[in-house]
Amino acid sequence: MQGDLRLGLPVILKDGESHMLVALVESLTDARYVAMTEIGHPELVLTRRRAEALGIQQTMQGDSLWFRVPAGKDLGWIARVAGQNGLDGAGHFSSLPIPNIGKSIHQTAIGLAKTVKAIPAILCVQLNGHDMGSISELGLTTMPIDLAIKALDAVGTQSQVSSAQLPMDAALAGRVHVFRPDNGGPEHYAIVIGQPDLSGSVTVRLHSACFTGDVLGSLKCDCGPQLRAAMTKMASGGGGVLVYLNQEGRGIGLANKMRAYALQDAGLDTVEANHWLGFEDDQRDFRIGGQILQNMGINRIRLITNNPAKVASLAAQGVEVTERVPLNVGQTAQNAHYLSTKVLKSGHLL
């Protein structure tokens, strides 16, 4: 179903006897938008964060809202309301229709959008009262929302699929373990640095992928320096395990991270940019890291982090954090505002 959505194909969500045709605003084409309007009147589903960015938080409750798209509005207008085009249109949506509180079916559709790292905005058409026989002839994927909700809530079972030795700059004795979840999500990696005693309190870092920082040496964040400093700290201190989680951009994906960067260039901070796009402050799931550690037989750790949320998440997973090891590196003139925002709004300890 997620693959169909990324391709721009509508899918059908079913809640009891109710059926809804849903499509991602981001990947919807003009031709498919017209085809959806011919089936029924389209409705736009947005997140609570996007609603707040549009200035309608006073009437907003719950995690999502929806309203009927006004007659005559094209896909370009919908994309602007959804936040897809940067700050284009900011402050010009005061005349939006009064929103309705999202139901489970709307929230499920938003969850599906987030799993494929798309802008969390959905165009939908109610199919109740339509001839479902003729609708089924379209060959669209259909899923009951209870199954979709179960899949969205599950972290997935992480299973090791391969492993090999890898000498590195930080330590000649190194090994990479690749883990693959059973829910179709991305693979994650556990890199053993040196020769740590896995039966004791193991030095560990959960590091979320950052293509711009880890690979390109970006000065806009401290991710690259943190990665390298953590590996050096492990190598010089008896070894450790680096759990590399493929959760780019705090879990919103690289495309949305670049959108957030553009919004930051226009004056928003990193949290405000995420909210403008419809995301939460942080969309990452650190339960994955806890599962990988337990899969490796690691239950007690010294965690290299400035983020208390990682400590809390791992503790909830049954991994005992015996010590939080600070990692204060990578400050630059270009990331000073980013780092202060992490402290003031995200609770990081710097």
Side-chain angles (χ1 to χ4, degrees):
M1 175 168 281
Q2 289 98 325
D4 289 352
L5 288 169
R6 292 197 73 168
L7 288 172
L9 293 172
V11 299
I12 298 174
L13 289 179
K14 179 181 177 182
D15 185 11
E17 296 302 315
S18 297
H19 294 73
M20 180 185 289
L21 187 67
V22 304
L24 298 178
V25 169
E26 180 175 329
S27 58
L28 193 61
T29 63
D30 288 322
R32 289 198 174 110
Y33 173 56
V34 171
M36 289 182 71
T37 63
E38 292 174 349
I39 294 174
H41 197 106
E43 300 166 352
L44 181 60
V45 186
L46 301 174
T47 67
R48 176 174 61 91
R49 290 301 189 187
R50 180 58 187 158
E52 292 171 350
L54 290 170
I56 54 177
Q57 68 269 29
Q58 293 84 357
T59 62
M60 183 59 193
Q61 300 174 13
D63 294 327
S64 62
L65 63 80
W66 65 272
F67 57 82
R68 289 167 65 91
V69 176
K73 299 299 185 182
D74 61 12
L75 193 54
W77 180 87
I78 293 171
R80 288 192 296 276
V81 175
Q84 188 174 330
N85 299 330
L87 291 177
D88 181 24
H92 297 290
F93 294 115
S94 58
S95 60
L96 286 173
I98 297 175
N100 303 278
I101 304 304
K103 301 177 182 178
S104 294
I105 199 166
H106 298 109
Q107 190 59 34
T108 301
I110 289 292
L112 290 171
K114 288 183 177 181
T115 62
V116 299
K117 306 299 184 285
I119 291 283
I122 294 289
L123 198 73
C124 64
V125 172
Q126 298 286 348
L127 297 178
N128 301 338
H130 286 75
D131 179 3
M132 293 308 298
S134 63
I135 295 293
S136 66
E137 293 178 358
L138 298 175
L140 300 176
T141 301
T142 301
M143 178 178 286
I145 68 164
D146 56 345
L147 294 180
I149 291 172
K150 183 178 179 180
L152 290 171
D153 290 342
V155 66
T157 300
Q158 304 290 327
S159 300
Q160 183 174 311
V161 294
S162 64
S163 175
Q165 294 183 3
L166 181 71
M168 294 169 281
D169 288 340
L172 291 178
R175 192 170 192 89
V176 176
H177 302 266
V178 178
F179 288 83
R180 181 179 295 160
D182 62 357
N183 61 5
E187 295 175 345
H188 306 281
Y189 321 123
I191 300 96
V192 178
I193 309 293
Q195 298 177 318
D197 178 6
L198 301 187
S199 66
S201 185
V202 184
T203 300
V204 168
R205 174 162 175 80
L206 299 189
H207 188 90
S208 298
C210 177
F211 173 75
T212 51
D214 299 345
V215 179
L216 302 181
S218 167
L219 300 178
K220 287 177 67 68
C221 66
D222 55 348
C223 301
Q226 284 190 328
L227 173 64
R228 291 180 283 276
M231 295 176 70
T232 299
K233 188 182 292 287
M234 291 176 190
S236 63
V241 177
L242 170 70
V243 181
Y244 196 89
L245 302 174
N246 278 308
Q247 300 188 120
E248 179 77 47
R250 295 189 181 181
I252 68 176
L254 186 59
N256 288 317
K257 178 180 174 178
M258 292 299 99
R259 290 181 173 124
Y261 273 7
L263 290 167
Q264 290 171 44
D265 290 340
L268 302 187
D269 65 35
T270 182
V271 171
E272 292 167 341
N274 271 24
H275 292 179
W276 179 265
L277 295 172
F279 294 103
E280 294 299 321
D281 302 20
D282 194 334
Q283 296 282 165
R284 290 174 293 181
D285 189 348
F286 296 124
R287 295 178 300 172
I288 299 169
Q291 191 177 114
I292 289 174
L293 290 172
Q294 291 176 323
N295 189 300
M296 298 176 69
I298 300 173
N299 296 296
R300 298 177 65 246
I301 66 172
R302 300 173 64 248
L303 186 63
I304 303 175
T305 186
N306 300 327
N307 186 358
K310 292 182 180 179
V311 177
S313 179
L314 289 175
Q317 289 293 101
V319 178
E320 179 186 357
V321 180
T322 62
E323 180 185 357
R324 184 189 71 84
V325 181
L327 190 61
N328 297 322
V329 296
Q331 292 88 349
T332 69
Q334 292 82 359
N335 67 25
H337 184 53
Y338 163 79
L339 294 180
S340 65
T341 299
K342 288 211 295 185
V343 171
L344 296 174
K345 293 189 175 183
S346 302
H348 286 224
L349 304 172
L350 296 177

